[in-house]
């Protein structure tokens, strides 16, 4: 072959710009004599080596040579093949080694040895070449490290994967698929199918050969079908192109080649490791697959496993499928999955107390890393009806999902377990079934199922489980505004939790007790909140402290100590960010937006925090943060005198609220908007609805927040002095909650009008009287506003049902009746599509319907919607 001899690539090189730049720089370093590009089959090692050759050939005075080793079957052939590639002069001397090393002695060249993995017994030729010349560099491509002292290894991963297909950036995996797809189907249009392409890229984890093989099907199959088939069977990743090398005709052929290079112990370990999901630790590999550290290291060296920076091992999904097929064929799958299930049931059980206490963050991190394994173990135990293993996981899975923005995933697991165990007749199975039913019912707020679960817990004299069911029933009562009933139920739950000495569950129930006590004075509510906070601090429940600290923040905000309140809410936001907890972060932004920034008159920060709460809440499917935040945005709209928009936002907040306090905050916003629109009757009605929240929860700051509305109504009734008195108290009270009032144009105009109508002397006299008004008397005046007497027949019909629809379910049902899609409903209500689907499933269950049309017809027959 001539100098600078290497095959001409047949396709355009795509991606890997970072790798190219860094490898070229590395080769330029005199200390780098031997560089090995290591990666699984099909990852693009040869193609990258050829691109490096094309870009660096001029740097080597004596050329660059590509030596294809893949066809060789004997290490003795390595020397011959290298000699044939190099421009050595004919020589009668048969000592090829001597001729080769003599030729290379004073040469400055790059020698590429391609596909070395099956010839590792002949690796001494590499060391001989490096010893013979200080100016020769070697670049080797291999599925396995050479494990030489002088070797520098460059592990090659898949191409760049898409994260957000809407951000305008086209990652290299998508670029490669697009280019190859247009070869197969000239009319292929990437932008119209970007999400589906992104999914295929993720399924194959960016392996270039797999992308090319998948793209070859676009003229035959829809992209969604291609992705589904890849998950189901490797054999779709095969090509009918006759000019591809046999080893690249399919991913199965690629993996077969790697499989042949393994010893029996490595094969046994690899096939057993296929039961893991989402990676695993060395200890788990030992327990489940009997894999020693030596075996794991060997599989890493052979590019069949990847060791990440955290010390966990990852198995590529396509390789995992390959190993799982072999595991099934060997008849070993059931036994290995049993071992996997036992291992992870114990793993979860061992972390239950940690999740409640001082190792909470570590336990969360550990379970998060292995959650896919926990999910797989749960599903296997449920499908095999192994209730003892399910029972070991119940508490840990529920607490973890409850803490960690994974409520929907937890709900799906409990629902699946409950369904698979429903038919089991043994006493033990029924006990476990009841526990599963309770947790699925709590997420779905299903009263009937919770009562069944409570009965089972009573039959087993299981006080802790009785507490859980009663806690769930209290949640349902609160959702239906049955506050007295809710208080009674949560008090019973507290009795049982205290009886069994579980302080974590006691702290959780105390927080609900504080929240649900709608009719008490603030001191009573604060007492329960502070007891919850104290317990959670004692046991080291940092996330619980983040929630229970709300009452300390509220206590500060109520009396105008906005600096302290801001600090506490910011602590919640910071904790949420530290932990990756969307709920803590979103709720912190939601509360600080109105309870601190709005009252201070810092509208810019109030809007920013409210928008952040909505953004995070939608991403996490956390409805309540959106309700608080929409109310804040409604208040801000009124400050801009955009009263129609303010009404729309606050009505949206009230309609979507699961917490009563959100509806009441929204009612305050609606009262302010009604003042701006000149609808005094609506202003009074909304103020009446908001009064308990303003007085009991927001305290002095809240009472003062209602005074501008009273002043506007008084002025419009021809009582200007009364209006001045209420404004005086609002603007001058020591709690300093008038920041927002000073920026409301309507109030500024009203003050000018009152001064002009009364004259300076009368205005100042009324102002002085107002400064001395009693705040408790103003609270009584707020409560005395006439309420709205509106009880539509469909609401009454709903309340009379054994299992009434929640307010949110009624709202979703009304939008369904108007023909809106799930996406349109989600956008209208500022919630996730998955939440809409969940509400619709609950509606179906409560109305005994199977379709959207059936649910609407049934609801109208029952007078539940107009």
């Amino acid at each position: 072959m001539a100098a600078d001899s290497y095959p001409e690539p047949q396709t355009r090189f795509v991606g890997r710009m970072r790798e190219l730049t860094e490898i070229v720089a590395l080769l330029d370093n005199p200390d780098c004599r031997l560089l090995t590009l290591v990666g699984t089959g099909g990852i693009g090692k040869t193609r990258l080596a050829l691109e490096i050759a094309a870009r660096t050939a001029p740097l080597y005075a004596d050329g660059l040579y590509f030596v294809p080793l893949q066809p060789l079957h004997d290490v003795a052939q390595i020397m011959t093949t290298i000699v044939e590639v190099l421009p050595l002069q004919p020589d009668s001397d048969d000592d090829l080694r001597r001729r080769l090393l003599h030729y290379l002695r004073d040469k400055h060249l790059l020698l590429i040895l391609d596909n070395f993995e099956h010839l590792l017994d002949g690796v001494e030729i590499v060391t001989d070449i490096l010893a013979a010349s200080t100016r020769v560099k070697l670049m080797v491509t291999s599925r396995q490290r050479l494990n030489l002292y002088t070797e520098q290894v460059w592990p090659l991963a898949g191409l760049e994967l898409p994260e957000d297909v809407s951000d305008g950036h086209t990652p290299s995996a998508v670029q490669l698929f697009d280019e190859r797809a247009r070869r197969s189907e000239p009319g292929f249009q990437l932008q119209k199918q970007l999400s589906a392409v992104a999914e295929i890229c993720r399924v194959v984890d960016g392996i270039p050969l797999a992308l090319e093989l998948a793209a070859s099907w676009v003229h035959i199959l829809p992209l969604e079908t291609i992705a589904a088939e890849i998950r189901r069977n490797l054999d779709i990743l095969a090509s009918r192109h006759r000019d591809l090398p046999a080893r690249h005709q399919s991913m199965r052929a690629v993996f077969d080649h790697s499989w042949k290079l393994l010893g029996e112990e490595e094969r046994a370990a690899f096939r057993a490791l296929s039961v893991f999901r989402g990676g695993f630790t060395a200890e788990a590999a030992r327990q489940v697959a009997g894999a020693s550290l030596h075996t794991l290291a060997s599989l890493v060296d052979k590019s069949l496993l990847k060791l990440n920076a955290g010390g966990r091992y990852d198995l590529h999904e396509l390789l995992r499928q390959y190993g799982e097929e072999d595991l099934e064929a060997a008849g070993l799958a059931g036994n290995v999955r049993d071992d996997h299930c036992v291992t992870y049931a114990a793993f979860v059980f061992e972390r239950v107390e940690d999740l409640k206490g001082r190792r909470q963050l570590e336990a969360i991190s550990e379970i998060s890393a292995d959650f896919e394994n926990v999910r797989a173990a749960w599903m296997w135990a449920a499908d095999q009806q192994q209730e003892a293993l399910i029972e070991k996981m119940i508490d840990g899975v529920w607490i973890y999902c409850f803490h960690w923005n994974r409520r929907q995933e937890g709900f799906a697991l409990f629902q699946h377990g409950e369904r698979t165990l429903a038919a089991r007749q043994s006493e033990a199975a029924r006990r476990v079934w009841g526990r599963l039913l309770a947790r699925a019912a709590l997420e779905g707020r299903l009263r009937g199922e919770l009562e069944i679960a409570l009965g089972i817990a009573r039959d087993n004299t299981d006080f802790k489980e009785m507490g859980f069911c009663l806690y769930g029933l209290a949640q349902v009562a609160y959702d239906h505004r049955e506050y007295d009933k809710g208080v009674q139920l949560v008090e019973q739950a507290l009795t049982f939790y205290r009886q069994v000495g579980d302080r974590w569950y006691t702290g959780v129930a105390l927080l609900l007790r504080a929240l649900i006590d709608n009719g008490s004075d603030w001191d009573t509510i604060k007492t329960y909140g502070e007891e919850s906070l104290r317990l959670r601090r004692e046991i080291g429940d940092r996330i619980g402290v983040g929630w229970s600290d709300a009452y300390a923040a509220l206590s500060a905000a109520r009396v105008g100590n906005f600096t302290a309140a801001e600090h506490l809410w910011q602590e919640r936001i910071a904790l949420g960010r530290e932990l990756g907890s969307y709920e803590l972060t979103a709720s912190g932004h939601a509360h600080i937006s109105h309870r601190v920034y709005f009252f201070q008159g810092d509208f810019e920060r109030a809007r920013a925090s409210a928008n952040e709460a909505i953004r995070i809440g939608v991403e996490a499917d956390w409805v309540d943060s959106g309700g608080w935040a929409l109310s804040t945005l409604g208040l801000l709209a009124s400050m801009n005198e955009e009263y129609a928009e303010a009404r729309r936002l606050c009505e949206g907040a009230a309609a979507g609220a699961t917490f009563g306090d959100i509806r009441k905050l929204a009612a305050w916003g609606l009262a302010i908007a009604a003042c701006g629109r000149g609808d005094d009757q609506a202003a009074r009605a909304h103020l009446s609805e908001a009064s308990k929240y303003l007085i009991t929860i927001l305290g002095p700051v809240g009472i003062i927040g209602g005074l501008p509305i009273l002043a506007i109504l008084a002025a419009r009734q021809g009582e200007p002095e009364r209006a001045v008195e209420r404004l005086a108290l609002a603007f001058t009270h020591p709690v300093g909650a008038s920041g927002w009032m000073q920026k409301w144009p309507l109030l500024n105009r009203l003050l000018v009008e009152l001064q002009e109508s009364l004259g300076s002397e009368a205005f100042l006299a009324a102002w002085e009287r107002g400064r001395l008004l009693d705040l408790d008397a103003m609270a009584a005046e707020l409560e005395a506003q006439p309420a709205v007497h509106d009880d539509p027949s469909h609401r009454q019909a709903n309340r009379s049902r054994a299992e009434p629809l929640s307010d949110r379910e009624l709202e979703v049902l009304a939008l369904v009746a108007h023909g809106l899609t799930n996406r349109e409903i989600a956008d209208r209500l500022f919630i996730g599509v998955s939440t809409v689907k969940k509400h619709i499933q609950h509606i179906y269950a409560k109305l005994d319907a199977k379709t959207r049309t059936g649910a609407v017809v049934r609801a109208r027959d029952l007078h539940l919607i107009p």
Side-chain angles (χ1 to χ4, degrees):
M1 288 180 143
D4 298 337
S5 177
Y6 48 89
E8 186 68 28
Q10 300 300 305
T11 57
R12 184 177 71 88
F13 187 77
V14 176
R16 300 208 187 278
M17 290 300 108
R18 180 186 64 82
E19 290 96 328
L20 270 174
T21 302
E22 294 182 10
I23 291 172
V24 169
L26 187 58
L27 287 171
D28 193 45
N29 185 337
D31 293 334
C32 179
R33 302 282 317 286
L34 168 62
L35 176 66
T36 307
L37 305 181
V38 175
T40 188
I43 204 70
K45 301 181 293 296
T46 300
R47 186 66 183 84
L48 178 60
L50 291 174
E51 190 66 22
I52 293 168
R55 295 179 182 229
T56 61
L59 303 178
Y60 299 97
D62 296 302
L64 181 152
Y65 299 90
F66 182 88
V67 183
L69 301 177
Q70 194 278 330
L72 308 188
H73 302 289
D74 188 337
V75 296
Q77 297 174 295
I78 301 175
M79 189 82 67
T80 303
T81 305
I82 296 174
V83 169
E84 288 176 352
V85 168
L86 291 170
L88 273 72
Q89 296 299 319
D91 194 321
S92 59
D93 189 346
D94 291 332
D95 188 350
L96 292 181
R97 179 180 178 278
R98 186 192 64 77
R99 288 178 57 202
L100 173 62
L101 299 182
H102 178 76
Y103 172 80
L104 294 175
R105 184 174 55 191
D106 58 355
K107 295 293 189 290
H108 179 211
L109 58 79
L110 176 65
L111 196 61
I112 301 173
L113 304 180
D114 187 47
N115 286 299
F116 208 109
E117 62 273 352
H118 60 303
L119 302 169
L120 291 177
D121 287 344
V123 77
E124 66 179 28
I125 185 61
V126 174
T127 58
D128 287 347
I129 291 172
L130 293 174
S133 173
T134 60
R135 302 186 69 204
V136 170
K137 289 182 181 284
L138 290 113
M139 181 163 60
V140 178
T141 73
S142 176
R143 301 186 188 193
Q144 182 173 352
R145 295 168 181 243
L146 307 187
N147 283 330
L148 296 176
Y149 182 74
T150 54
E151 178 183 33
Q152 293 198 33
V153 176
W154 189 281
L156 205 57
L159 295 175
E160 178 194 8
L161 294 173
E163 295 181 3
D164 181 359
V165 296
S166 64
D167 65 1
H169 171 64
T170 305
S172 53
V174 174
Q175 292 178 40
L176 180 64
F177 185 92
D178 179 38
E179 180 171 296
R180 301 304 190 259
R182 282 188 279 108
R183 286 171 175 259
S184 177
E185 176 56 62
F188 181 78
Q189 295 182 351
L190 175 64
Q191 291 306 317
K192 291 184 178 180
Q193 305 180 82
L194 192 53
S195 294
V197 171
E199 181 61 18
I200 291 173
C201 293
R202 295 186 191 105
V203 169
V204 303
D205 201 21
I207 292 182
L209 178 60
L211 288 168
E212 295 187 8
L213 295 173
S216 70
W217 288 90
V218 298
H219 67 294
I220 299 173
L221 296 174
L223 296 185
E224 292 79 5
T225 303
I226 295 173
E229 284 295 313
I230 294 171
R231 289 194 182 93
R232 189 183 67 83
N233 194 321
L234 278 175
D235 289 331
I236 191 175
L237 294 176
S239 173
R240 293 175 303 283
H241 295 149
R242 296 185 178 91
D243 58 345
L244 280 178
R247 70 183 191 279
H248 285 168
Q249 287 284 345
S250 71
M251 289 307 298
R252 185 174 298 282
V254 169
F255 296 155
D256 283 344
H257 179 63
S258 294
W259 185 256
K260 291 174 184 176
L261 300 176
L262 299 180
E264 282 305 316
E265 184 178 344
E266 292 169 330
R267 290 181 183 179
F270 181 78
R271 64 168 68 99
L273 292 173
S274 68
V275 301
F276 287 100
R277 299 292 188 275
F280 50 89
T281 64
E283 177 59 21
R286 183 190 64 79
Q287 293 180 34
V288 176
S292 66
L293 285 174
H294 176 79
T295 301
L296 293 174
S298 179
L299 292 172
V300 169
D301 284 347
K302 294 179 179 180
S303 303
L304 294 175
L305 287 183
K306 181 172 67 175
L307 180 63
N308 65 30
R312 288 176 60 83
Y313 293 88
D314 288 322
L315 182 63
H316 190 284
E317 176 58 22
L318 296 182
L319 283 165
R320 192 200 65 75
Q321 288 182 35
Y322 182 88
E324 190 172 43
E325 288 178 8
D326 193 75
L327 186 68
E328 294 280 359
L332 301 172
N335 291 337
V336 177
R337 289 194 179 106
D338 280 342
D339 291 342
H340 178 271
C341 184
V342 168
T343 297
Y344 282 97
F347 169 83
V348 173
F349 182 76
E350 290 164 1
R351 284 158 179 78
V352 170
E353 293 308 312
D354 291 340
L355 286 167
K356 298 176 179 179
R358 301 195 182 282
R359 275 200 79 254
Q360 181 183 76
L361 304 189
E362 292 89 340
I364 286 174
S365 176
E366 290 161 2
I367 295 177
S368 293
D370 266 313
F371 190 69
E372 291 309 313
N373 283 312
V374 171
R375 191 203 308 272
W378 179 286
M379 299 299 283
W380 177 255
D383 291 342
Q384 301 301 309
Q385 298 188 335
Q386 298 182 30
E387 62 266 11
L389 291 176
I390 284 284
E391 187 166 32
K392 288 188 76 170
M393 292 187 272
I394 287 176
D395 258 6
V397 169
W398 187 79
I399 294 172
Y400 171 78
C401 292
F402 174 82
H403 267 331
W404 207 241
N405 312 317
R406 300 188 97 142
R407 282 184 166 89
Q408 288 302 308
E409 292 171 277
F411 173 68
L413 291 176
F414 287 115
Q415 195 173 55
H416 179 76
E418 176 262 317
R419 287 172 178 168
T420 57
L421 293 182
R424 299 274 284 172
Q425 298 299 315
S426 72
E427 183 178 331
R430 182 166 174 77
R431 182 186 69 250
V432 176
W433 176 75
R435 296 188 68 195
L436 294 168
L437 180 67
R439 282 145 188 84
L442 175 57
E443 183 60 32
R445 300 296 197 265
L446 303 176
R447 178 175 280 156
E449 283 84 344
L450 281 164
E451 289 173 344
I452 292 170
L454 177 60
I456 294 171
R458 283 175 172 154
D459 291 343
N460 288 280
T461 321
D462 187 341
F463 294 139
K464 184 175 175 180
E465 188 63 15
M466 289 161 65
F468 187 93
C469 296
L470 289 163
Y471 171 87
L473 288 167
Q475 286 272 18
V476 174
Y478 178 74
D479 289 346
H480 288 87
R481 308 186 198 185
E482 300 165 357
Y483 300 120
D484 292 340
K485 184 175 183 179
V487 166
Q488 182 183 8
L489 289 164
V490 77
E491 287 282 10
Q492 292 177 47
L494 279 166
T495 298
F496 286 122
Y497 285 145
R498 285 171 170 147
Q499 188 171 342
V500 299
D502 194 308
R503 295 196 293 172
W504 186 85
Y505 275 104
T506 300
V508 171
L510 281 167
L511 191 61
L512 178 61
R513 178 65 177 87
L515 178 69
I516 210 169
D517 200 346
N518 191 63
S520 293
D521 60 275
W522 169 253
D523 288 339
T524 303
I525 294 171
K526 182 182 175 185
T527 296
Y528 288 115
E530 288 181 344
E531 186 181 354
S532 175
L533 179 60
R534 177 183 60 78
L535 273 178
R536 288 173 147 180
R537 280 178 173 160
E538 285 177 1
I539 64 176
D541 177 7
R542 281 192 69 193
I543 295 175
V545 168
W547 289 112
S548 295
D549 228 7
Y551 291 94
L554 279 171
S555 293
R558 281 165 51 86
V559 295
N561 189 351
F562 296 119
T563 300
E566 179 183 11
H567 175 74
L568 289 165
W569 288 126
Q570 288 289 4
E571 279 190 340
R572 175 184 285 194
I573 292 168
L575 178 62
R577 286 175 177 161
E578 177 189 345
L579 303 178
S581 171
Y582 293 118
E583 294 178 359
L584 280 172
T585 307
S587 64
H589 278 296
H591 289 298
I592 203 172
S593 67
H594 71 275
R595 288 176 171 163
V596 174
Y597 297 143
F598 178 78
F599 278 108
Q600 286 182 311
D602 190 342
F603 293 165
E604 184 176 347
R605 286 205 288 177
R607 188 181 307 281
S609 281
N611 284 329
E612 187 68 359
I614 291 173
R615 183 190 68 78
I616 298 171
V618 169
E619 184 175 343
D621 215 2
W622 178 243
V623 175
D624 296 317
S625 64
W628 293 113
L630 284 176
S631 298
T632 302
L633 294 178
L635 291 165
L636 293 169
S638 285
M639 298 302 98
N640 287 334
E641 301 203 283
E642 298 167 350
Y643 298 114
E645 176 67 1
R647 179 180 182 181
R648 185 188 73 82
L649 290 166
C650 290
E651 285 179 345
T658 58
F659 284 125
D661 285 351
I662 297 176
R663 291 189 289 270
K664 291 167 187 173
L665 175 64
W668 181 48
L670 287 168
I672 290 173
C675 287
R677 299 194 328 270
D679 188 344
D680 295 351
Q681 182 179 359
R684 290 185 185 280
H686 291 308
L687 184 59
S688 174
E689 185 179 358
S691 61
K692 186 169 289 295
Y693 174 74
L694 294 174
I695 297 165
T696 305
I697 304 301
L698 296 185
V701 165
I703 296 169
I704 290 167
L707 294 180
I709 302 171
L710 293 179
I712 292 167
L713 295 172
R716 290 174 180 170
Q717 286 183 320
E719 301 178 87
E721 292 186 351
R722 185 182 180 89
V724 172
E725 289 169 357
R726 276 131 192 82
L727 288 175
L729 182 60
F731 277 97
T732 64
H733 193 280
V735 299
S738 64
W740 67 277
M741 303 175 203
Q742 296 169 19
K743 295 185 176 181
W744 188 8
L746 187 153
L747 279 189
N748 291 324
R749 292 195 300 271
L750 178 60
L751 282 169
V752 172
E753 292 168 4
L754 290 170
Q755 284 180 313
E756 291 176 351
S757 63
L758 287 173
S760 296
E761 186 175 341
F763 180 89
L764 289 174
W767 190 268
E768 289 304 314
R769 291 194 302 274
R771 294 178 57 175
L772 302 176
L773 287 174
D774 180 63
L775 209 57
D776 290 338
M778 293 299 97
E781 188 173 330
L782 287 173
E783 288 188 296
Q785 298 305 306
V788 178
H789 297 290
D790 178 20
D791 190 15
S793 60
H794 66 279
R795 292 285 183 184
Q796 188 58 44
N798 185 49
R799 292 193 186 101
S800 68
R801 288 177 53 76
E803 186 65 27
L805 274 67
S806 68
D807 288 345
R808 176 60 101 184
E809 289 164 356
L810 284 170
E811 184 180 19
V812 169
L813 183 58
L815 295 175
V816 169
H818 280 87
L820 273 68
T821 65
N822 288 352
R823 168 51 63 191
E824 290 169 338
I825 294 171
D827 292 343
R828 179 76 63 89
L829 301 180
F830 297 93
I831 60 178
V833 173
S834 62
T835 299
V836 174
K837 292 178 180 177
K838 181 183 76 173
H839 287 311
I840 290 176
Q841 289 303 314
H842 293 168
I843 291 167
Y844 287 172
K846 292 179 180 181
L847 298 182
D848 192 24
K850 291 182 170 53
T851 65
R852 294 162 72 95
T853 301
V856 171
V857 170
R858 177 69 173 152
R860 284 177 174 153
D861 288 344
L862 295 171
H863 305 292
L864 300 182
I865 58 175

